[in-house]
Amino acid sequence: MEEFSNRINLRAAGCAKCHNPRYERGYQVRLCKDCRRELSRYPVTREVIWGALGVSVILLLALFRLPTYFRAGVDYMKAMEFAKERKYVSAEKGFTATLKRFPGHVGSIVHLITASYFNDDQTRTDSLYSVLTATHTTSDDQDLVDELTIVTDNSRYFSIQDSTISNQLDALRADTTAYCKVLEDYLKKAPYDLAAAVNLAYAYLELKNYKGADSLCRKAIHDAPLFRPPYFELLASLKEQGRYKEGLILTQQLLDQNKEAPSALLTLSTFQLKLKKDKEALITAQQAFQLEPENPDVLTTLCMAYHFNHQQVESNRLLTKLKDMPGSDSSHVAMLQNIITDKTPYRD
Amino acid sequence: MMIPGVYMALITFPGVVVHEFAHQLFCRLCGVAIFDVKYFQMADPVGYVQHEPVKKPFHQLLISVGPFIVNNILALAIAFPAAIPVFMFNDGSLFDFLLLYLGLSIAMHAFPSTTDAKVMWETIWHGKNVPLWLKIITVPITGLIYAGAMGAVMWLDLVWGMGVAFGLPILIVKFLSQVM
């Protein structure tokens, strides 16, 4: 006789459990409806119930934390995607959010250093680099090391390498000619010092020596294409010289490095306005506005772009907003007002 | 390194318990009488659910593949919140590693056993009045179960468990970050 622990007799004439002659037809094992129902609800042992309760508590705790971690994960992945697309303003926001949740995450710190570097925020780049150094962690991820190397290689160009020259220059700020002389002499000995070259180009611009400034900036760009300050000096020079078409090409180079660089977008919009490419200028200014809606320079350029696109209501609204901004520069606002009321010519 | 299956099952016993519980759950849902259940034992097999032959062949398919559904879903739910901090941000706590252990253990035992496959094959392929579509879908499922059983010799169950508990959460986050 085949029998199971719970008194199942498979050879019984009636129900294998209770011997009821009214068993359910069509099954290989004869069981009445009630017994089949009861057996299908075979009791779970106490140990398993306790175990399941324990796992349920763990699962609940885990699920409670899930939204935060999930959000952090999605933000990080999005930021990585933005960084890959060279949209560094969006990437910076994402990595900042990630670091709030996971402050020690080396990958996020390195990516944020890169983002702030290409967003032309050298102060933040330096402070994040200090944070990274303070963590005393070494990454064996070669991609991260390579990424950091690009920034550190270019960041060294931000300060003049010879500190005695720096000190000398600090004392000569008011005397531009002497300032230039010191830098010219120094650059003969240290032509590799791009910080000195940029400083000299800036001084040349003040002296309206555009040829000298252009030459220094172009050499610096050639020597270190990812060192961004010479681009901006050269753009300033080109603007002064009215060489807007060359400026468009140069801003495009900056935007290839960072599609969301607000300063590059502003310069591009300005050059487009100067070249009477008003529709393009408005689109560019709106892109900058989406990135930095409270930046007075962005508002100024957008205000002008609206004006030259004959959207006077929008232009006036932005002018009012600029006037109402705390700490707004009244002379700057007055100049803008004169441009959009056609009292001062803006284009050549 | 060869570790006898029974010791591997001992290390990952939560998965065995969930596996047998999944068979039991689907028996209950299908109204199939159960005669005996062993959630875990230090013998071969390490667990089993003894139930009556099913009346509807489709119920056998459900009972056989039940652990694949339950173990994978449960493993993913448990491991998901831990996989993100550990594998994405290198920031796991002890609790996270407990979750990952549970998730891995449960996912490792998601594959039905060859006994499950044999019963399913006998009931569906050799059964009478079984619809053709059911016979057709049973072939690849049985094949996959046998492939999984053979692959277990090469730690395929461990690889599967790691994939579900460690890799899948990251893939889901990556995918959702692109669509959100």
Side-chain angles (χ1 to χ4, degrees):
Chain A
M1 182 187 284
E2 201 171 341
E3 201 164 312
F4 289 93
S5 58
N6 44 5
R7 288 177 291 133
I8 301 295
N9 181 355
L10 295 179
R11 294 189 182 174
C15 169
K17 189 161 187 279
C18 70
H19 308 291
N20 183 344
R22 294 177 63 193
Y23 59 84
E24 287 188 297
R25 306 283 164 179
Y27 290 90
Q28 283 186 41
V29 176
R30 292 172 181 174
L31 285 167
C32 67
K33 197 174 178 182
D34 290 343
C35 286
R36 174 160 283 110
R37 186 181 158 83
E38 187 193 325
L39 285 171
S40 74
R41 296 175 174 213
Y42 194 91
V44 179
T45 59
R46 190 168 290 179
E47 294 84 355
V48 172
I49 292 173
W50 279 112
L53 280 174
V55 171
S56 303
V57 171
I58 289 172
L59 184 61
L60 275 177
L61 285 171
L63 292 178
F64 178 73
R65 303 178 334 153
L66 180 61
T68 315
Y69 286 158
F70 179 73
R71 189 73 254 170
V74 169
D75 282 345
Y76 178 69
M77 285 295 170
K78 275 187 174 175
M80 290 288 287
E81 200 56 40
F82 284 131
K84 213 181 280 177
E85 293 168 9
R86 299 190 162 272
K87 293 179 175 175
Y88 285 114
V89 171
S90 304
E92 188 170 345
K93 284 178 193 159
F95 291 128
T96 305
T98 303
L99 280 174
K100 273 186 188 154
R101 186 69 198 79
F102 298 101
H105 186 227
V106 175
S108 291
I109 299 174
V110 172
H111 298 320
L112 192 52
I113 287 174
T114 306
S116 52
Y117 174 80
F118 284 105
N119 286 328
D120 307 304
D121 187 349
Q122 195 56 30
T123 313
R124 192 168 193 208
T125 307
D126 290 342
S127 84
L128 283 164
Y129 191 71
S130 309
V131 171
L132 184 68
T133 316
T135 56
H136 298 293
T137 46
T138 49
S139 176
D140 44 12
D141 184 336
Q142 194 53 43
D143 289 344
L144 276 186
V145 174
D146 292 346
E147 186 180 326
L148 189 63
T149 307
I150 290 172
V151 178
T152 49
D153 275 0
N154 286 285
S155 291
R156 69 196 156 104
Y157 299 130
F158 277 86
S159 310
I160 292 174
Q161 289 168 29
D162 189 334
S163 56
T164 52
I165 298 293
S166 297
N167 295 336
Q168 239 180 307
L169 292 173
D170 286 341
L172 292 170
R173 291 256 172 234
D175 185 352
T176 313
T177 316
Y179 185 91
C180 288
K181 181 81 178 78
V182 170
L183 278 171
E184 282 162 358
D185 291 345
Y186 172 63
L187 276 170
K188 276 177 196 158
K189 283 184 281 177
Y192 49 81
D193 196 331
L194 302 187
V198 172
N199 273 301
L200 184 56
Y202 181 79
Y204 280 164
L205 268 181
E206 282 194 351
L207 297 170
K208 301 197 186 302
N209 176 0
Y210 300 124
K211 200 177 167 188
D214 291 3
S215 152
L216 284 167
C217 290
R218 285 193 196 282
K219 184 188 175 296
I221 290 169
H222 175 266
D223 290 353
L226 295 180
F227 179 49
R228 293 166 66 84
Y231 288 87
F232 291 107
E233 292 305 324
L234 185 53
L235 283 170
S237 171
L238 293 175
K239 189 182 169 191
E240 290 297 318
Q241 296 172 71
R243 291 158 63 186
Y244 305 125
K245 281 186 184 166
E246 285 175 63
L248 289 185
I249 296 165
L250 199 63
T251 47
Q252 199 49 58
Q253 286 176 28
L254 276 174
L255 288 169
D256 287 343
Q257 292 176 13
N258 177 10
K259 287 180 185 158
E260 290 184 339
S263 41
L265 286 170
L266 281 186
T267 313
L268 177 61
S269 182
T270 306
F271 285 9
Q272 285 167 331
L273 282 176
K274 294 280 188 186
L275 290 166
K276 299 187 179 172
K277 295 182 172 187
D278 297 334
K279 276 185 186 166
E280 291 98 318
L282 181 58
I283 293 167
T284 311
Q286 282 170 331
Q287 280 179 321
F289 178 73
Q290 277 176 356
L291 297 168
E292 291 191 350
E294 298 301 320
N295 182 336
D297 293 334
V298 173
L299 292 175
T300 304
T301 309
L302 185 58
C303 178
M304 284 198 289
Y306 275 129
H307 166 71
F308 288 112
N309 278 278
H310 313 292
Q311 296 184 34
Q312 218 51 51
V313 178
E314 283 299 309
S315 184
N316 290 337
R317 188 181 62 79
L318 289 176
L319 182 69
T320 313
K321 189 176 176 178
L322 269 168
K323 278 180 186 167
D324 295 343
M325 278 180 107
S328 64
D329 183 346
S330 55
S331 64
H332 181 85
V333 173
M335 189 191 73
L336 177 64
Q337 191 161 16
N338 285 339
I339 291 170
I340 67 169
T341 51
D342 297 323
K343 285 179 187 163
T344 306
Y346 181 68
R347 305 204 254 225
D348 302 327
Chain B
M1 185 175 63
M2 288 295 287
I3 299 176
V6 73
Y7 291 108
M8 198 62 204
L10 178 65
I11 297 166
T12 56
F13 78 94
V16 180
V17 176
V18 174
H19 181 108
E20 303 312 332
F21 179 76
H23 281 312
Q24 188 182 356
L25 177 72
F26 275 88
C27 282
R28 181 179 174 150
L29 293 174
C30 298
V32 173
I34 297 167
F35 302 134
D36 195 14
V37 177
K38 185 64 83 179
Y39 293 102
F40 185 76
Q41 63 179 4
M42 285 293 281
D44 189 20
V46 288
Y48 60 82
V49 172
Q50 212 162 28
H51 61 81
E52 66 169 331
V54 295
K55 187 181 175 185
K56 295 177 183 170
F58 183 60
H59 286 171
Q60 187 56 58
L61 179 74
L62 289 178
I63 293 166
S64 294
V65 301
F68 191 76
I69 300 164
V70 173
N71 281 51
N72 280 328
I73 292 174
L74 190 62
L76 184 63
I78 290 175
F80 201 118
I84 297 172
V86 171
F87 298 112
M88 244 179 185
F89 301 113
N90 311 319
D91 189 50
S93 63
L94 202 62
F95 182 62
D96 290 319
F97 286 103
L98 172 68
L99 292 177
L100 288 178
Y101 157 71
L102 272 176
L104 174 66
S105 305
I106 293 170
M108 263 185 79
H109 292 279
F111 268 95
S113 63
T114 47
T115 313
D116 297 328
K118 261 182 215 160
V119 175
M120 186 171 68
W121 185 255
E122 285 301 318
T123 310
I124 297 174
W125 191 256
H126 297 299
K128 288 172 190 166
N129 304 322
V130 179
L132 184 63
W133 66 266
L134 188 55
K135 285 192 177 196
I136 290 170
I137 62 165
T138 302
V139 177
I141 293 172
T142 311
L144 278 174
I145 295 171
Y146 272 102
M150 283 190 287
V153 180
M154 294 177 292
W155 299 94
L156 189 68
D157 47 357
L158 179 66
V159 172
W160 178 267
M162 286 164 72
V164 171
F166 306 165
L168 195 55
I170 307 301
L171 281 180
I172 291 173
V173 169
K174 272 187 184 174
F175 172 74
L176 290 178
S177 71
Q178 283 168 355
V179 295
M180 277 172 78

